Short mmCIF file of all heavy atoms in Angstrom, two decimals:
data_model
loop_
_atom_site.label_atom_id
_atom_site.label_comp_id
_atom_site.label_asym_id
_atom_site.label_seq_id
_atom_site.Cartn_x
_atom_site.Cartn_y
_atom_site.Cartn_z
N MET A 15 0.83 -1.21 0.00
CA MET A 15 0.00 0.00 0.00
C MET A 15 0.87 1.26 0.00
O MET A 15 0.48 2.30 -0.54
CB MET A 15 -0.93 -0.01 1.20
CG MET A 15 -1.92 -1.18 1.21
SD MET A 15 -3.09 -1.09 -0.15
CE MET A 15 -4.19 0.19 0.49
N ILE A 16 2.05 1.16 0.62
CA ILE A 16 3.00 2.29 0.57
C ILE A 16 3.46 2.51 -0.86
O ILE A 16 3.51 3.65 -1.35
CB ILE A 16 4.20 2.01 1.49
CG1 ILE A 16 3.75 1.87 2.95
CG2 ILE A 16 5.25 3.11 1.35
CD1 ILE A 16 4.86 1.48 3.90
N THR A 17 3.77 1.42 -1.56
CA THR A 17 4.19 1.54 -2.95
C THR A 17 3.09 2.15 -3.80
O THR A 17 3.35 3.02 -4.65
CB THR A 17 4.59 0.16 -3.51
OG1 THR A 17 5.49 -0.47 -2.61
CG2 THR A 17 5.24 0.30 -4.87
N ALA A 18 1.84 1.72 -3.58
CA ALA A 18 0.72 2.27 -4.34
C ALA A 18 0.56 3.76 -4.06
O ALA A 18 0.32 4.56 -4.98
CB ALA A 18 -0.57 1.53 -3.98
N SER A 19 0.70 4.15 -2.79
CA SER A 19 0.59 5.57 -2.43
C SER A 19 1.68 6.39 -3.10
O SER A 19 1.42 7.50 -3.60
CB SER A 19 0.67 5.72 -0.91
OG SER A 19 0.64 7.08 -0.53
N MET A 20 2.89 5.85 -3.14
CA MET A 20 3.98 6.56 -3.79
C MET A 20 3.76 6.67 -5.29
O MET A 20 4.07 7.69 -5.91
CB MET A 20 5.30 5.86 -3.47
CG MET A 20 5.72 6.02 -2.03
SD MET A 20 7.23 5.10 -1.63
CE MET A 20 7.57 5.74 0.02
N ALA A 21 3.21 5.61 -5.89
CA ALA A 21 2.90 5.66 -7.32
C ALA A 21 1.88 6.76 -7.61
O ALA A 21 2.02 7.49 -8.61
CB ALA A 21 2.37 4.30 -7.79
N LEU A 22 0.89 6.90 -6.76
CA LEU A 22 -0.10 7.96 -6.95
C LEU A 22 0.55 9.33 -6.82
O LEU A 22 0.26 10.24 -7.60
CB LEU A 22 -1.23 7.81 -5.92
CG LEU A 22 -2.14 6.58 -6.12
CD1 LEU A 22 -3.02 6.38 -4.89
CD2 LEU A 22 -2.99 6.75 -7.37
N ASP A 23 1.45 9.48 -5.84
CA ASP A 23 2.16 10.76 -5.68
C ASP A 23 3.02 11.08 -6.90
O ASP A 23 3.24 12.25 -7.23
CB ASP A 23 3.06 10.72 -4.42
CG ASP A 23 2.26 10.74 -3.14
OD1 ASP A 23 1.07 11.13 -3.17
OD2 ASP A 23 2.83 10.38 -2.09
N GLN A 24 3.50 10.03 -7.56
CA GLN A 24 4.35 10.21 -8.74
C GLN A 24 3.54 10.32 -10.03
O GLN A 24 4.11 10.37 -11.11
CB GLN A 24 5.33 9.04 -8.83
CG GLN A 24 6.32 8.98 -7.68
CD GLN A 24 6.99 7.62 -7.54
OE1 GLN A 24 6.66 6.67 -8.24
NE2 GLN A 24 7.94 7.51 -6.61
N ASP A 25 2.22 10.34 -9.89
CA ASP A 25 1.31 10.44 -11.04
C ASP A 25 1.46 9.25 -11.97
O ASP A 25 1.44 9.38 -13.19
CB ASP A 25 1.53 11.75 -11.80
CG ASP A 25 0.36 12.11 -12.71
OD1 ASP A 25 -0.77 11.68 -12.41
OD2 ASP A 25 0.58 12.81 -13.72
N ARG A 26 1.60 8.07 -11.38
CA ARG A 26 1.67 6.83 -12.16
C ARG A 26 0.37 6.04 -11.98
O ARG A 26 -0.37 6.24 -11.02
CB ARG A 26 2.86 5.97 -11.71
CG ARG A 26 4.19 6.72 -11.70
CD ARG A 26 4.65 7.11 -13.10
NE ARG A 26 5.76 8.06 -13.06
CZ ARG A 26 7.03 7.73 -12.94
NH1 ARG A 26 7.38 6.46 -12.82
NH2 ARG A 26 7.97 8.67 -12.93
N GLU A 27 0.14 5.11 -12.90
CA GLU A 27 -1.04 4.26 -12.82
C GLU A 27 -0.94 3.30 -11.64
O GLU A 27 0.15 2.82 -11.29
CB GLU A 27 -1.20 3.45 -14.11
CG GLU A 27 -1.37 4.29 -15.37
CD GLU A 27 -2.75 4.91 -15.47
OE1 GLU A 27 -3.63 4.56 -14.66
OE2 GLU A 27 -2.96 5.74 -16.37
N VAL A 28 -2.09 3.00 -11.05
CA VAL A 28 -2.16 1.99 -9.99
C VAL A 28 -3.27 1.01 -10.35
O VAL A 28 -4.37 1.41 -10.76
CB VAL A 28 -2.44 2.61 -8.61
CG1 VAL A 28 -2.59 1.52 -7.54
CG2 VAL A 28 -1.31 3.57 -8.22
N PHE A 29 -2.97 -0.28 -10.22
CA PHE A 29 -3.92 -1.35 -10.53
C PHE A 29 -4.05 -2.25 -9.30
O PHE A 29 -3.11 -2.38 -8.52
CB PHE A 29 -3.43 -2.18 -11.71
CG PHE A 29 -3.03 -1.37 -12.91
CD1 PHE A 29 -1.69 -1.07 -13.14
CD2 PHE A 29 -3.97 -0.92 -13.81
CE1 PHE A 29 -1.30 -0.33 -14.24
CE2 PHE A 29 -3.60 -0.16 -14.91
CZ PHE A 29 -2.26 0.13 -15.13
N ALA A 30 -5.19 -2.89 -9.15
CA ALA A 30 -5.39 -3.80 -8.02
C ALA A 30 -6.20 -5.01 -8.48
O ALA A 30 -7.14 -4.88 -9.26
CB ALA A 30 -6.11 -3.09 -6.87
N VAL A 31 -5.80 -6.17 -7.98
CA VAL A 31 -6.50 -7.42 -8.28
C VAL A 31 -7.53 -7.66 -7.18
O VAL A 31 -7.17 -7.72 -6.00
CB VAL A 31 -5.50 -8.59 -8.33
CG1 VAL A 31 -6.24 -9.90 -8.59
CG2 VAL A 31 -4.45 -8.34 -9.40
N PRO A 32 -8.80 -7.81 -7.52
CA PRO A 32 -9.81 -8.07 -6.49
C PRO A 32 -9.69 -9.49 -5.95
O PRO A 32 -9.20 -10.39 -6.64
CB PRO A 32 -11.13 -7.87 -7.23
CG PRO A 32 -10.80 -8.23 -8.65
CD PRO A 32 -9.39 -7.76 -8.88
N GLY A 33 -10.12 -9.67 -4.73
CA GLY A 33 -10.12 -11.00 -4.12
C GLY A 33 -11.45 -11.25 -3.44
O GLY A 33 -12.41 -10.48 -3.61
N THR A 34 -11.53 -12.29 -2.65
CA THR A 34 -12.76 -12.57 -1.92
C THR A 34 -12.94 -11.58 -0.77
O THR A 34 -11.96 -11.14 -0.16
CB THR A 34 -12.75 -14.01 -1.38
OG1 THR A 34 -13.87 -14.19 -0.49
CG2 THR A 34 -11.48 -14.31 -0.60
N VAL A 35 -14.17 -11.25 -0.48
CA VAL A 35 -14.45 -10.30 0.60
C VAL A 35 -14.11 -10.90 1.95
O VAL A 35 -14.01 -10.18 2.95
CB VAL A 35 -15.93 -9.86 0.60
CG1 VAL A 35 -16.25 -9.10 -0.67
CG2 VAL A 35 -16.87 -11.06 0.75
N HIS A 36 -13.89 -12.21 2.01
CA HIS A 36 -13.58 -12.86 3.28
C HIS A 36 -12.08 -12.89 3.56
O HIS A 36 -11.67 -13.32 4.64
CB HIS A 36 -14.13 -14.29 3.28
CG HIS A 36 -15.61 -14.37 3.04
ND1 HIS A 36 -16.53 -13.89 3.94
CD2 HIS A 36 -16.32 -14.86 1.99
CE1 HIS A 36 -17.74 -14.09 3.46
NE2 HIS A 36 -17.64 -14.66 2.29
N SER A 37 -11.28 -12.48 2.61
CA SER A 37 -9.82 -12.55 2.78
C SER A 37 -9.26 -11.22 3.25
O SER A 37 -9.39 -10.19 2.57
CB SER A 37 -9.15 -12.94 1.45
OG SER A 37 -7.74 -12.89 1.58
N ARG A 38 -8.60 -11.26 4.39
CA ARG A 38 -7.94 -10.06 4.90
C ARG A 38 -6.83 -9.60 3.95
O ARG A 38 -6.53 -8.41 3.86
CB ARG A 38 -7.34 -10.37 6.28
CG ARG A 38 -6.75 -9.16 7.00
CD ARG A 38 -6.23 -9.52 8.38
NE ARG A 38 -5.76 -8.33 9.04
CZ ARG A 38 -6.51 -7.52 9.80
NH1 ARG A 38 -7.79 -7.81 9.97
NH2 ARG A 38 -6.01 -6.45 10.37
N LYS A 39 -6.27 -10.55 3.20
CA LYS A 39 -5.17 -10.23 2.29
C LYS A 39 -5.63 -9.39 1.10
O LYS A 39 -4.79 -8.87 0.36
CB LYS A 39 -4.53 -11.52 1.76
CG LYS A 39 -4.00 -12.44 2.83
CD LYS A 39 -2.84 -11.84 3.60
CE LYS A 39 -2.28 -12.84 4.61
NZ LYS A 39 -1.20 -12.26 5.41
N SER A 40 -6.93 -9.26 0.89
CA SER A 40 -7.43 -8.46 -0.22
C SER A 40 -8.01 -7.12 0.23
O SER A 40 -8.49 -6.35 -0.61
CB SER A 40 -8.50 -9.24 -0.99
OG SER A 40 -7.92 -10.32 -1.69
N ARG A 41 -7.96 -6.83 1.51
CA ARG A 41 -8.56 -5.59 1.99
C ARG A 41 -7.91 -4.35 1.39
O ARG A 41 -8.59 -3.37 1.06
CB ARG A 41 -8.46 -5.52 3.52
CG ARG A 41 -9.41 -6.46 4.25
CD ARG A 41 -9.31 -6.27 5.75
NE ARG A 41 -10.21 -7.16 6.47
CZ ARG A 41 -10.30 -7.23 7.78
NH1 ARG A 41 -9.52 -6.44 8.54
NH2 ARG A 41 -11.13 -8.05 8.36
N GLY A 42 -6.60 -4.38 1.25
CA GLY A 42 -5.92 -3.23 0.67
C GLY A 42 -6.31 -3.01 -0.78
O GLY A 42 -6.56 -1.88 -1.21
N CYS A 43 -6.36 -4.10 -1.56
CA CYS A 43 -6.77 -4.00 -2.96
C CYS A 43 -8.18 -3.45 -3.07
O CYS A 43 -8.46 -2.56 -3.89
CB CYS A 43 -6.69 -5.37 -3.63
SG CYS A 43 -5.00 -6.02 -3.77
N HIS A 44 -9.08 -3.96 -2.24
CA HIS A 44 -10.47 -3.49 -2.29
C HIS A 44 -10.57 -2.02 -1.90
O HIS A 44 -11.37 -1.27 -2.49
CB HIS A 44 -11.34 -4.36 -1.38
CG HIS A 44 -11.47 -5.76 -1.86
ND1 HIS A 44 -11.97 -6.78 -1.07
CD2 HIS A 44 -11.15 -6.34 -3.05
CE1 HIS A 44 -11.96 -7.92 -1.76
NE2 HIS A 44 -11.46 -7.67 -2.95
N ALA A 45 -9.78 -1.60 -0.92
CA ALA A 45 -9.80 -0.20 -0.51
C ALA A 45 -9.32 0.71 -1.64
O ALA A 45 -9.90 1.77 -1.90
CB ALA A 45 -8.94 0.00 0.74
N LEU A 46 -8.28 0.30 -2.33
CA LEU A 46 -7.77 1.09 -3.45
C LEU A 46 -8.82 1.23 -4.55
O LEU A 46 -9.03 2.30 -5.12
CB LEU A 46 -6.51 0.44 -4.02
CG LEU A 46 -5.24 0.53 -3.17
CD1 LEU A 46 -4.14 -0.38 -3.75
CD2 LEU A 46 -4.73 1.96 -3.08
N ILE A 47 -9.50 0.11 -4.84
CA ILE A 47 -10.53 0.14 -5.89
C ILE A 47 -11.73 0.96 -5.43
O ILE A 47 -12.25 1.82 -6.17
CB ILE A 47 -10.96 -1.30 -6.24
CG1 ILE A 47 -9.78 -2.07 -6.85
CG2 ILE A 47 -12.15 -1.29 -7.19
CD1 ILE A 47 -10.01 -3.56 -6.95
N ARG A 48 -12.18 0.73 -4.21
CA ARG A 48 -13.36 1.43 -3.68
C ARG A 48 -13.16 2.94 -3.63
O ARG A 48 -14.07 3.72 -3.93
CB ARG A 48 -13.67 0.90 -2.28
CG ARG A 48 -14.93 1.51 -1.65
CD ARG A 48 -15.18 0.94 -0.27
NE ARG A 48 -14.09 1.20 0.66
CZ ARG A 48 -13.31 0.26 1.17
NH1 ARG A 48 -13.48 -1.01 0.84
NH2 ARG A 48 -12.34 0.58 2.01
N ASP A 49 -11.94 3.37 -3.27
CA ASP A 49 -11.66 4.80 -3.14
C ASP A 49 -11.27 5.46 -4.46
O ASP A 49 -10.89 6.64 -4.47
CB ASP A 49 -10.54 5.00 -2.10
CG ASP A 49 -10.95 4.53 -0.71
OD1 ASP A 49 -12.16 4.37 -0.47
OD2 ASP A 49 -10.05 4.30 0.12
N GLY A 50 -11.33 4.71 -5.54
CA GLY A 50 -11.01 5.27 -6.84
C GLY A 50 -9.53 5.53 -7.06
O GLY A 50 -9.15 6.28 -7.95
N LYS A 51 -8.67 4.87 -6.27
CA LYS A 51 -7.23 5.08 -6.40
C LYS A 51 -6.56 4.07 -7.32
O LYS A 51 -5.42 4.26 -7.73
CB LYS A 51 -6.57 5.02 -5.01
CG LYS A 51 -7.03 6.14 -4.07
CD LYS A 51 -6.38 6.01 -2.71
CE LYS A 51 -6.81 7.14 -1.79
NZ LYS A 51 -6.19 7.01 -0.44
N ALA A 52 -7.26 2.98 -7.60
CA ALA A 52 -6.69 1.93 -8.45
C ALA A 52 -7.75 1.41 -9.40
O ALA A 52 -8.95 1.41 -9.09
CB ALA A 52 -6.15 0.78 -7.60
N LYS A 53 -7.29 0.96 -10.55
CA LYS A 53 -8.18 0.34 -11.53
C LYS A 53 -8.27 -1.15 -11.24
O LYS A 53 -7.24 -1.81 -11.05
CB LYS A 53 -7.65 0.58 -12.95
CG LYS A 53 -7.61 2.04 -13.34
CD LYS A 53 -6.99 2.22 -14.72
CE LYS A 53 -7.04 3.68 -15.14
NZ LYS A 53 -6.20 4.54 -14.26
N LEU A 54 -9.47 -1.68 -11.22
CA LEU A 54 -9.66 -3.10 -11.03
C LEU A 54 -9.19 -3.83 -12.28
O LEU A 54 -9.58 -3.49 -13.40
CB LEU A 54 -11.15 -3.38 -10.76
CG LEU A 54 -11.56 -4.82 -10.44
CD1 LEU A 54 -12.84 -4.80 -9.60
CD2 LEU A 54 -11.77 -5.66 -11.69
N VAL A 55 -8.35 -4.84 -12.09
CA VAL A 55 -7.86 -5.61 -13.23
C VAL A 55 -8.13 -7.09 -13.00
O VAL A 55 -8.00 -7.61 -11.90
CB VAL A 55 -6.35 -5.38 -13.48
CG1 VAL A 55 -6.10 -3.95 -13.90
CG2 VAL A 55 -5.51 -5.72 -12.26
#
């Protein structure tokens, strides 16, 4: 998530892979997509 934040500061593209809503490991990806900071791929 730090890398994604830095990419946004650098005006670079950010992408996120969605996962299951039950997986804690996908919470960051879902937050990026939900907040409009990353494109769902």
